[in-house]
Amino acid sequence: MKTSAGKTSASKAAGRSSGRGAANPATRAARKPSPAVYRRRRLFAGGALLLVVGLTAGGVATVSGTLADKTQQTSSTGGGTPQPSGGQTAAAPSVSPSATPSASPTCDQKLVTVTAGTNKTSYAPEEKPLLTLKVSNGGKLPCKVNIGTSQMEFLVTSGSDRIFSSKDCQASGDDLVKTIAPGKSETANFPWPRNRSVQGCEEVRDAAGAGYYVFIAKLGPKVSPPAVFQLS
């Protein structure tokens, strides 16, 4: 009896052992997830979707609320022209334009002219011509003019020959500013000793001979028309 029982126990153990060996890994992999697993997965995916949708909607609501707050602040504090209470429109303050000071009139220097003249038109051999430079104001306003020796030049020519210039031997010049009234003039006289001169004030022994000469007066950039005279 013990022997039979021992065989029977051994056969059952072998059967259980062979049954567990038949459930190999390939068989486990082929099994489908249970419906409970599917439900848990769907619930998790749905919750994540709702979370994303909720965050997105919340962001839109936050942005919309912020824009609405800014719009209300703009309309209440700043944007438009403030209106007084009571429905009355405030009158704009009147601004009177400031008077522009008119510039004081100044003289027209173009109307200041220079002319050349001599006290005679013909001179005897012993006579010295008196050369005159005249500055006139032809405008309607007083003009300040520098009539100093720094601006003056008495120039004598004969044809293309440069005979004499008061600048040749002038060591230095002085400024003399005078106000010339409208229609008035200032004159400067220079007695010419009928000598010749060259630039640098070198000595020239030859004197001006008989003939016709031209005197031109200069005052700064202004040049007079020529004045013709004769030496005998």
Side-chain angles (χ1 to χ4, degrees):
M1 294 296 292
K2 292 181 179 178
T3 304
S4 301
K7 291 180 179 180
T8 304
S9 301
S11 298
K12 292 181 179 179
R16 285 196 299 270
S17 176
S18 61
R20 282 197 298 268
N24 53 30
T27 304
R28 292 196 193 98
R31 290 179 182 177
K32 294 183 179 180
S34 64
V37 174
Y38 274 117
R39 284 194 299 271
R40 286 195 296 272
R41 289 180 178 176
R42 283 198 297 269
L43 288 174
F44 179 79
L49 179 60
L50 289 176
L51 178 63
V52 172
V53 172
L55 289 176
T56 305
V60 172
T62 303
V63 173
S64 301
T66 304
L67 292 177
D69 291 341
K70 289 184 178 179
T71 304
Q72 291 177 359
Q73 292 175 1
T74 303
S75 61
S76 61
T77 59
T81 303
Q83 297 294 332
S85 60
Q88 297 178 356
T89 303
S94 60
V95 179
S96 58
S98 58
T100 303
S102 58
S104 57
T106 57
C107 78
D108 188 356
Q109 290 289 338
K110 293 180 181 179
L111 300 178
V112 177
T113 58
V114 176
T115 56
T118 58
N119 59 335
K120 295 176 67 174
T121 58
S122 181
Y123 297 91
E126 301 300 327
E127 290 182 311
K128 295 180 180 180
L130 185 65
L131 310 180
T132 301
L133 182 153
K134 184 177 181 180
V135 186
S136 302
N137 180 8
K140 296 182 179 180
L141 296 173
C143 283
K144 291 183 178 180
V145 183
N146 187 351
I147 59 173
T149 56
S150 62
Q151 305 296 313
M152 291 183 181
E153 182 180 6
F154 297 82
L155 178 64
V156 179
T157 62
S158 178
S160 60
D161 191 5
R162 183 180 182 274
I163 304 297
F164 173 83
S165 172
S166 60
K167 291 286 188 182
D168 289 342
C169 294
Q170 181 176 312
S172 61
D174 298 324
D175 292 331
L176 179 61
V177 179
K178 281 194 172 183
T179 300
I180 304 177
K184 301 299 181 178
S185 61
E186 294 284 341
T187 59
N189 297 320
F190 182 84
W192 179 44
R194 299 174 69 144
N195 65 321
R196 284 178 174 266
S197 69
V198 294
Q199 292 177 339
C201 200
E202 296 180 6
E203 183 180 1
V204 180
R205 294 182 179 180
D206 295 337
Y212 287 94
Y213 292 84
V214 174
F215 165 46
I216 295 176
K218 295 183 179 181
L219 186 69
K222 298 181 181 294
V223 180
S224 73
V228 179
F229 63 95
Q230 183 181 11
L231 296 181
S232 299

